[in-house]
Amino acid sequence: MEKGLIIVLVASLAFFSVVLVRFSIPSLLPYLIGSSGVNTVMGGLIVSSLWIGYTIFQVIGGLIVDKYGYKVVLYVLILISIINILYPIIISQYYLLLIVQFVMGSLLAITYVALISMVLSNYGRGGLGAGIYQSMFFLASSISIMVSPLLFSINKFTPFIVFSIIVASSIMPVARVPRRGKVSGAIYIGPNDLRIVGMGFIRLSSGFSYLGFLSWSTYYVVHVLKVAPSLSGFYAFLASIMGSVGAVVGGYLGDRVGYALPSISSSLLLAIIVSVIPRLSIIYLLALLMLLLGFFYGFYAAPSIAISRLTQNIGATTGFLNFMSQLGGSISPYVIGFLLQYYDFPETLLIIGVVSVVLIIIGAALLFYEKYPLLNEVHR
């Protein structure tokens, strides 16, 4: 096996471990909402506080990685494994939980940027490498969403201890990856670089539609499909599992045909599917659309982030692009919780879908304002 591919696998497995942590709390919303006076708005804020930290530190993390190298991730992984063990102790203390969620989100952001920089710096086929890496998001989020409620129902300490051990086990392989040379941490986003801004809007749209729905998926299946809370993760699991396939396919295709059209088309389909899901009563059709939801998010995620390898400052560019998707993921859970006070899920998710389509139109207009070589360059 070639050295570059081994590094992709090492980074991907480390990413897998931290995504387990990222989705444990959102999957426990059925247990948290209604306890200690927590309502849907407060529940949405618990999820959003992590995404806010995750969003803010995307660009900051990119600058750190470009300046000091991606080995900073070793220290961050240690902190994540330690802090995650504290969750069972503070999970009933609402305001402290909000603070810890923000801190955890910040650490997870640095981890994401460092690990994807490791992939794009060491593997020539950027789309495929990003696809393998992003596939771990869907595998880990699916497992976390499915397993966390079940383990929590048995003992509130179990899911957090298990996930911390998995994170800690990824540290040694990452430590063996050769260091990358440091580069300037600057990135210039403006009129002369509309391709990056345009792709940022595409990622903003997908984060707003998909991540918002995924954060509320366990709550949705409990209150709409009348599933028991302990089994809610199994049904929500459908909304992410196919993303692993979509990420590899999307990344491979992006290397061949360019990164713009796969990203735009899949983001548009995400907005449509999110709008349609709560209007279906046929369970098998609903299951199919949830599977497609995960597939198209993976399909979009790999090519839309792989363009970073074609820029000088991989860490900072990756940080900006992921900042945009996480900005959508930070706002959307709270917006959904707010809207659910006044509307049911069909009206709420229709609003989410319409906003997402508007963002896609803006992004596509910027992407095709001029013909940029970056969007049409493919793997040779």
Side-chain angles (χ1 to χ4, degrees), residues 51 123 148 150 181 197 209 257 265 273 307 355 363 372 380:
W51 291 113
Y123 194 55
S148 294
L150 183 59
V197 178
S209 60
V257 303
S265 59
I273 294 173
I307 66 169
V355 172
Y372 289 105
R380 304 297 181 187

Side-chain angles (χ1 to χ4, degrees), residues 114-235:
L115 292 174
I116 190 63
S117 297
M118 185 183 297
V119 169
L120 297 177
S121 299
N122 289 283
Y123 194 55
R125 302 180 67 177
L128 181 59
I132 296 171
Y133 177 83
Q134 290 288 164
S135 71
M136 295 298 106
F137 169 86
F138 302 99
L139 285 174
S141 61
S142 299
I143 292 172
S144 185
I145 288 171
M146 181 173 64
V147 171
S148 294
L150 183 59
L151 294 178
F152 189 81
S153 67
I154 299 172
N155 184 290
K156 69 177 183 178
F157 286 90
T158 304
F160 302 102
I161 292 174
V162 170
F163 294 162
S164 290
I165 291 174
I166 295 174
V167 172
S169 67
S170 71
I171 295 174
M172 186 60 69
V174 171
R176 297 176 64 86
V177 175
R179 294 181 181 272
R180 175 174 64 88
K182 304 168 187 176
V183 300
S184 169
I187 181 171
Y188 302 97
I189 304 295
N192 294 325
D193 209 3
L194 292 182
R195 62 194 184 275
I196 300 297
V197 178
M199 191 64 82
F201 271 95
I202 299 300
R203 291 183 64 84
L204 177 64
S205 167
S206 296
F208 191 76
S209 60
Y210 176 79
L211 293 177
F213 175 78
L214 191 63
S215 295
W216 280 92
S217 58
T218 53
Y219 185 86
Y220 173 77
V221 297
V222 168
H223 289 267
V224 178
L225 303 182
K226 307 305 179 183
V227 173
S230 62
L231 298 176
S232 60
F234 175 77
Y235 290 88

Side-chain angles (χ1 to χ4, degrees), residues 6 13 57 61 70 79 113 120 128 130 177 213 217 227 250 253 309 316 327-328 341 375 380:
I6 293 175
L13 291 175
F57 272 79
Y70 46 62
L79 287 174
V113 176
L120 297 177
L128 181 59
V177 175
F213 175 78
S217 58
V227 173
L253 185 62
R309 66 177 289 267
L327 180 61
Q341 295 182 109
L375 297 174
R380 304 297 181 187

Side-chain angles (χ1 to χ4, degrees), residues 7-316:
I7 293 175
V8 169
L9 295 178
V10 167
S12 298
L13 291 175
F15 183 49
F16 174 90
S17 72
V18 296
V19 174
L20 290 174
V21 170
R22 194 196 308 182
F23 280 90
S24 59
I25 292 296
S27 67
L28 298 178
L29 282 180
Y31 290 98
L32 299 179
I33 294 177
S35 66
S36 303
V38 177
N39 57 28
T40 58
V41 174
M42 296 171 72
L45 191 57
I46 289 174
V47 178
S48 287
S49 61
L50 182 143
W51 291 113
I52 290 169
Y54 192 78
T55 301
I56 291 174
F57 272 79
Q58 287 298 320
V59 175
I60 297 173
L63 298 176
I64 291 173
V65 170
D66 277 339
K67 185 172 183 179
Y68 298 106
Y70 46 62
K71 283 302 181 77
V72 297
V73 74
L74 296 174
Y75 306 104
V76 178
L77 288 172
I78 293 172
L79 287 174
I80 289 173
S81 63
I82 294 173
I83 293 175
N84 187 61
I85 297 179
L86 300 177
Y87 270 108
I89 301 173
I90 55 95
I91 199 167
S92 60
Q93 303 176 47
Y94 180 75
Y95 294 103
L96 180 58
L97 179 61
L98 290 180
I99 295 172
V100 174
Q101 280 281 88
F102 178 86
V103 173
M104 182 64 82
S106 304
L107 296 173
L108 291 171
I110 299 172
T111 303
Y112 176 89
V113 176
L115 292 174
I116 190 63
S117 297
M118 185 183 297
V119 169
L120 297 177
S121 299
N122 289 283
Y123 194 55
R125 302 180 67 177
L128 181 59
I132 296 171
Y133 177 83
Q134 290 288 164
S135 71
M136 295 298 106
F137 169 86
F138 302 99
L139 285 174
S141 61
S142 299
I143 292 172
S144 185
I145 288 171
M146 181 173 64
V147 171
S148 294
L150 183 59
L151 294 178
F152 189 81
S153 67
I154 299 172
N155 184 290
K156 69 177 183 178
F157 286 90
T158 304
F160 302 102
I161 292 174
V162 170
F163 294 162
S164 290
I165 291 174
I166 295 174
V167 172
S169 67
S170 71
I171 295 174
M172 186 60 69
V174 171
R176 297 176 64 86
V177 175
R179 294 181 181 272
R180 175 174 64 88
K182 304 168 187 176
V183 300
S184 169
I187 181 171
Y188 302 97
I189 304 295
N192 294 325
D193 209 3
L194 292 182
R195 62 194 184 275
I196 300 297
V197 178
M199 191 64 82
F201 271 95
I202 299 300
R203 291 183 64 84
L204 177 64
S205 167
S206 296
F208 191 76
S209 60
Y210 176 79
L211 293 177
F213 175 78
L214 191 63
S215 295
W216 280 92
S217 58
T218 53
Y219 185 86
Y220 173 77
V221 297
V222 168
H223 289 267
V224 178
L225 303 182
K226 307 305 179 183
V227 173
S230 62
L231 298 176
S232 60
F234 175 77
Y235 290 88
F237 162 90
L238 296 174
S240 60
I241 185 58
M242 285 297 292
S244 298
V245 178
V248 175
V249 174
Y252 179 84
L253 185 62
D255 283 335
R256 295 297 183 269
V257 303
Y259 299 126
L261 289 177
S263 301
I264 293 171
S265 59
S266 52
S267 295
L268 181 59
L269 288 169
L270 284 172
I272 294 172
I273 294 173
V274 164
S275 302
V276 170
I277 278 180
R279 300 177 182 277
L280 297 175
S281 57
I282 303 174
I283 191 67
Y284 296 109
L285 184 56
L286 175 63
L288 175 61
L289 287 184
M290 292 181 78
L291 287 170
L292 289 176
L293 195 66
F295 176 84
F296 285 120
Y297 190 77
F299 193 91
Y300 125 88
S304 65
I305 202 70
I307 66 169
S308 301
R309 66 177 289 267
L310 304 175
T311 64
Q312 180 180 0
N313 305 96
I314 293 176

